Amino acid sequence: MPELSSAAYEWRGDVNDEELEGLHAACFDHVATVRRWSAQLHAHSLGWVTARHEGRLLGFVNVAWDGASHAFLVDTAVAPDTRLHGIGQELVRRAAGGARAAGCAWLHVDFEPDYLHFYIDRCGLHRTEAGLLALS
Ligand SMILES: CC(C)(COP(=O)(O)OP(=O)(O)OC[C@H]1O[C@@H](n2cnc3c(N)ncnc32)[C@H](O)[C@@H]1OP(=O)(O)O)[C@@H](O)C(=O)NCCC(=O)NCCS
């Protein structure tokens, strides 16, 4: 187990496509494929936060936006063997800081009921109603 209190966090830090796809696959339960994460993030995201320890990518969150005042958390992810050490909470805190610094007024996220405690009680977001439409 790495010494997680010394994890290093970075806003818009470099990410390698393969390492991020590996983390995403481990966290969202899919088979890792080839995905051009870095190009996608630079082209479309307001920013993202990485958490690393001794070079290893332990956590990631993507911050999408509307180009003005609304930012959206996507894909909050912490490696399974390093969970419950506050890394997720710190990723969200830094994502909020990055969005605030970019002039955003609101940070949104939608999530399944299991994550209520994480996002509402621990990350400080307020509970809202949200909607979702499957497009494919
Ligand atoms: C959600 C996730 C990012 C949390 O990361 P983490 O580093 O373990 O979170 P933290 O250690 O900062 O947890 C902070 C608090 O949230 C709680 N928490 C974390 N994950 C939780 C979960 N899945 N369900 C309920 N509470 C959770 C922790 O217990 C802790 O609360 P406590 O202080 O009362 O003990 C991580 O579980 C993950 O990657 N999950 C799989 C991917 C996913 O589904 N992401 C959410 C997409 S919306």
Side-chain angles (χ1 to χ4, degrees):
M1 173 70 72
E3 182 40 66
L4 299 171
S5 58
S6 61
Y9 296 84
E10 199 174 358
W11 173 251
R12 295 182 67 93
D14 286 344
V15 282
N16 166 291
D17 291 347
E18 205 173 309
E19 65 174 351
L20 183 49
E21 178 62 4
L23 177 69
H24 196 275
C27 291
F28 294 98
D29 204 22
H30 64 84
V31 175
T33 60
V34 175
R35 186 162 164 188
R36 297 182 63 236
W37 277 104
S38 186
Q40 186 182 322
L41 293 170
H42 280 94
H44 300 291
S45 292
L46 169 62
W48 56 94
V49 183
T50 54
R52 291 185 184 278
H53 184 267
E54 294 179 350
R56 179 188 167 200
L57 184 68
L58 304 180
F60 169 83
V61 64
N62 191 4
V63 185
W65 72 325
D66 67 347
S69 58
H70 294 271
F72 303 81
L73 294 178
V74 187
D75 292 338
T76 314
V78 172
D81 64 321
T82 64
R83 287 181 190 161
L84 303 178
H85 287 83
I87 295 173
Q89 223 175 311
E90 187 63 15
L91 287 169
V92 172
R93 195 181 75 78
R94 301 228 178 195
R100 190 179 297 111
C104 292
W106 299 101
L107 181 64
H108 307 247
V109 65
D110 62 26
F111 52 82
E112 302 201 341
D114 279 358
Y115 296 97
L116 261 171
H117 179 61
F118 174 69
Y119 283 116
I120 307 300
D121 301 334
R122 289 294 177 254
C123 294
L125 283 86
H126 296 283
R127 205 167 168 182
T128 63
E129 298 293 329
L132 183 66
L133 178 65
L135 299 177
S136 61

